[in-house]
Amino acid sequence: MPFNTKLTRALGIKIPVVQGGMQWVGYAELASAVSNAGGLGILTALTQPTPEDLRKEIRKCKTMTNKPFGVNITLLPSMNTPDYGAYAQVAIDEGIKVVETAGNSPGPVIKQLKAVGTIILHKCTTIRHAQSAIKLGVDFLSIDGFECAGHVGETDITNFILLSRARQSLEVPFIASGGFADGQGLAAALSLGAEGINMGTRFMCTVEAPIHLKIKEEIVKAQETDTELVLRRWKNTSRLYKNKVAQQATKIERESTTGKFEEVAPYVSGKRGREVFINGDPDYGVWTAGQVIGLIHDIPTCDVLVKRIEREAEETLNKASALIVPASKL
C-alpha cells in the first residue's frame, strides 16, 4: 500500500525513500531503478565533469524512467570551485522538479532554484544549520545523523536525538538520513516525526549500483564497527570504510607533530576512492560507508529492496498500533 506523507505528496512518489546523492555512484542506472521502484532516485551533479555532462545524464535517466527523479548539488570547499550555478541551471533547463542541496553557503544556488519553483531538499547535520536553511526557503530538510557515511559534522549527535530535536523545533518537514536500510528503520523515522528516509550505503549494495561487485560483497561482509572517522583534526570529519588506507590516514592524523593536512592528503584522495568502485579492490583508496553496513546482508535489485522496505514498514507500524488496547477491553 503506498504511503501518504508530505514527502510522497510533494514529490509524487509512492514510498518515502530517497536515494542519497553519492559521488561516483549517483548515475542514471541507479537513480532510474530507485524511481521505478517507487522511491526518489537522485543523480549526483558533481559526478559529472561538466554541467553539459549532467545534461546528458539527466536525458539518459529520462529514457530509463518516467517517474520523478532529482539532482544532488553538494557545495564543497575546493581549490577549483565548480560552477554550481551552471549545474543548477542545467537542472532547471531539463525540468528537474526536486534538487537535493548540501554543503557550504548554498544560498545563491537555492535562490536560483527557488525562483522557478524547484522543491529543495537540504541536508544538515545540526539543528542550527537546519534553521539557517529554513531562512533560505528550503522545502524539506534531510536531517543527517552521526551514523551517516561521509561528512558527519562535528557534533556527534545520533539520529535518535537529532530527529526528535527536529520534530520539536523545526517548522519545515524533514526526512531522516544516516543509519537506514530497512522498513523497521522507515517506521522508526516516521514515528519520530520524519516524512521519509534517505539511504546511501544501502543503495550502494544493490544490483543496479554502478560499482564493482567485490565492493558490494565487502559491504555485505562488514560489521557496524567497520567504519573509520577521518579528518577530525581539521574539523572536516568524514566517516569512511575502515580499510588499510583509512587506518593509515587516521594513524598519521593522530601522530603528526606538524598537524599539516598535506601529510594525510594523498591517503584521502577522492580519485583513488573512485578507482575502488571501478577496480573492486576495497583497500585501493578511501570510500565512504555508514555504520548501517552492519545491517546489510544481501545485494537485491532496487525494486526488491524498496518493496521489501514498504512491506516491513507497514508490518512494523501495524504491529505497533496493535499494542494499543482500547480501554473498554481492559
Side-chain angles (χ1 to χ4, degrees):
M1 185 183 294
F3 280 78
N4 180 18
T5 73
K6 287 178 182 174
L7 185 78
T8 60
R9 293 195 297 272
L11 305 187
I13 60 177
K14 288 184 177 179
I15 303 157
V17 173
V18 177
Q19 168 230 319
M22 297 169 282
Q23 186 73 339
W24 314 127
V25 182
Y27 291 96
E29 290 80 2
L30 180 59
S32 62
V34 174
S35 291
N36 285 333
L40 183 79
I42 290 190
L43 298 175
T44 308
L46 296 188
T47 288
Q48 302 300 325
T50 69
E52 283 308 306
D53 288 305
L54 174 61
R55 190 187 306 279
K56 290 174 190 168
E57 197 71 9
I58 290 171
R59 292 181 177 179
K60 179 181 177 182
C61 199
K62 285 178 180 175
T63 69
M64 302 170 80
T65 183
N66 59 4
K67 302 288 194 301
F69 64 91
V71 167
N72 164 282
I73 301 176
T74 298
L75 296 89
L76 295 172
S78 171
M79 297 291 286
N80 303 306
T81 305
D83 188 344
Y84 297 116
Y87 280 102
Q89 192 58 49
V90 164
I92 292 167
D93 293 345
E94 296 299 317
I96 296 297
K97 301 294 187 222
V98 57
V99 170
E100 179 188 60
T101 55
N104 302 325
S105 307
V109 164
I110 289 174
K111 186 177 180 183
Q112 179 184 357
L113 292 162
K114 287 304 296 176
V116 294
T118 309
I119 295 169
I120 303 292
L121 174 62
H122 187 70
K123 188 168 274 198
C124 306
T125 57
T126 67
I127 299 300
R128 183 170 59 84
H129 289 147
Q131 288 165 336
S132 298
I134 290 171
K135 291 174 185 170
L136 297 174
V138 303
D139 301 278
F140 288 88
L141 291 154
S142 183
I143 302 298
D144 221 9
F146 182 58
E147 306 93 326
C148 73
H151 296 280
V152 299
E154 306 304 318
T155 54
D156 301 4
I157 309 295
T158 63
N159 257 328
F160 216 90
I161 302 301
L162 206 53
L163 295 175
S164 288
R165 282 286 289 118
R167 183 187 70 248
Q168 290 174 351
S169 58
L170 301 181
E171 295 158 13
V172 166
F174 61 91
I175 69 170
S177 179
F180 296 98
D182 52 32
Q184 288 82 358
L186 172 56
L190 295 174
S191 299
L192 289 171
E195 302 291 336
I197 58 173
N198 177 299
M199 300 195 313
T201 307
R202 173 66 270 199
F203 277 125
M204 283 173 64
C205 203
T206 57
V207 169
E208 295 90 350
I211 63 177
H212 201 287
L213 178 61
K214 285 186 178 175
I215 302 306
K216 299 175 190 181
E217 290 170 344
E218 192 76 7
I219 291 171
V220 169
K221 281 192 306 186
Q223 304 295 312
E224 61 275 13
T225 48
D226 290 332
T227 68
E228 188 90 6
L229 292 173
V230 181
L231 306 185
R232 175 136 283 193
R233 187 169 184 170
W234 295 280
K235 304 244 181 310
N236 188 26
T237 308
S238 287
R239 187 181 297 283
L240 307 173
Y241 182 66
K242 188 187 280 187
N243 62 8
K244 290 174 185 173
V245 188
Q247 289 174 300
Q248 285 171 329
T250 306
K251 186 171 188 289
I252 292 167
E253 182 176 348
R254 286 178 184 152
E255 296 175 1
S256 168
T257 53
T258 66
K260 288 185 178 177
F261 177 72
E262 289 77 8
E263 290 183 58
V264 79
Y267 294 88
V268 294
S269 159
K271 189 177 178 190
R272 288 181 69 88
R274 184 187 185 186
E275 286 296 315
V276 165
F277 294 155
I278 296 167
N279 66 27
D281 178 359
D283 286 309
Y284 185 78
V286 295
W287 48 285
T288 62
Q291 291 179 327
V292 76
I293 53 174
L295 305 181
I296 298 170
H297 309 300
D298 63 352
I299 309 169
T301 63
C302 289
D303 190 65
V304 166
L305 174 62
V306 173
K307 285 183 170 57
R308 184 166 75 201
I309 287 171
E310 179 186 26
R311 184 183 70 252
E312 289 171 346
E314 195 175 335
E315 289 170 356
T316 302
L317 291 168
N318 285 336
K319 195 181 292 183
S321 66
L323 297 174
I324 302 169
V325 181
S328 59
K329 293 189 177 179
L330 289 174

